Amino acid sequence: MMNPEDQEKTAFYTEQGIFCYRVMPFGLKNAGATYQRFVNKIFALQIGKTMEVYIDDMLVKSMEEKDHITHLRECFKQLNLYNVKLNPPRHRGESKANRGIVGNGIASKQARSAALNRKSCGP
């Protein structure tokens, strides 16, 4: 959510009335830079250690597999603390061992490739 004091700065007029944004639209000037400063602030303790963040791309990294769940929890804790919502269909996880989170389970890279090859490409 955008700070209520800043919402009026995004006001626009239509035939139906005057409206303003409650969240930062990316079409606004400097919205990307503003969002980058925001994620740099909320992940300040993790960036360079267990995370890398570039605008809407977030990478949680771990040297040891046993630490990865802890690092993911730290990331989600920060996201929840600042009420940041993710777009689940767009996000996936992938490990060094070429395993990725698929739906609600884990599948090998080969299984995902085989499933993609079977998918119909249209009528």
Side-chain angles (χ1 to χ4, degrees), residues 26-104:
F26 279 92
L28 291 178
K29 186 177 182 180
N30 294 327
T34 300
Y35 185 76
Q36 183 67 53
R37 282 193 304 274
F38 170 69
V39 293
N40 285 349
K41 175 185 172 189
I42 69 172
F43 294 117
L45 298 176
Q46 289 95 349
I47 292 175
K49 298 176 185 83
T50 62
M51 282 189 77
E52 300 299 335
V53 179
Y54 180 70
I55 305 185
D56 64 343
D57 292 324
M58 298 177 198
L59 171 70
V60 178
K61 58 186 184 176
S62 303
M63 293 295 287
E64 301 290 329
E65 188 174 346
K66 64 182 173 60
D67 298 327
H68 199 62
I69 296 295
T70 303
H71 297 157
L72 285 169
R73 282 193 177 120
E74 290 171 2
C75 171
F76 286 120
K77 179 181 172 187
Q78 288 301 103
L79 291 169
N80 286 331
L81 181 65
Y82 288 89
N83 199 28
V84 176
K85 305 289 189 260
L86 298 178
N87 184 4
R90 190 168 162 258
H91 291 81
R92 66 176 172 78
E94 180 122 1
S95 73
K96 240 190 323 189
N98 289 326
R99 289 183 310 195
I101 298 171
V102 179
N104 60 358

